[in-house]
Amino acid sequence: MSFFLNGQATETACQNLLQLVHSMGLENKRFAVELNEMIIPKSRLENTLIQPKDRIEIIHAVGGG
């Protein structure tokens, strides 16, 4: 399936946002997911399916000092 991730055309076999987050190695990290300009709560990631042409933005906190 083809969609846009952080502005880049991307292909994935992931069916939902939780699978996508896991494939990116972000579980147990601080991150936010936006799907088609709507913030998706972490509690809804598993039930939110990825559709062709979706625009997904994922940002994650990077520590530093």
Side-chain angles (χ1 to χ4, degrees):
M1 171 183 339
S2 181
F3 66 100
F4 293 91
L5 177 62
N6 297 339
Q8 300 291 321
T10 303
E11 293 282 331
T12 188
C14 298
Q15 295 181 0
N16 62 45
L17 292 177
L18 184 61
Q19 291 173 354
L20 182 62
V21 166
H22 283 276
S23 75
M24 297 175 69
L26 295 176
E27 63 274 1
N28 300 320
K29 295 187 179 176
R30 296 177 59 163
F31 64 90
V33 179
E34 180 182 283
L35 172 65
N36 300 324
E37 300 183 1
M38 291 180 45
I39 300 293
I40 306 298
K42 289 181 181 177
S43 62
R44 292 188 32 221
L45 293 178
E46 185 172 14
N47 296 323
T48 304
L49 301 178
I50 300 171
Q51 303 295 323
K53 307 296 181 194
D54 273 345
R55 294 194 173 272
I56 301 169
E57 298 288 329
I58 300 179
I59 58 169
H60 57 94
V62 177

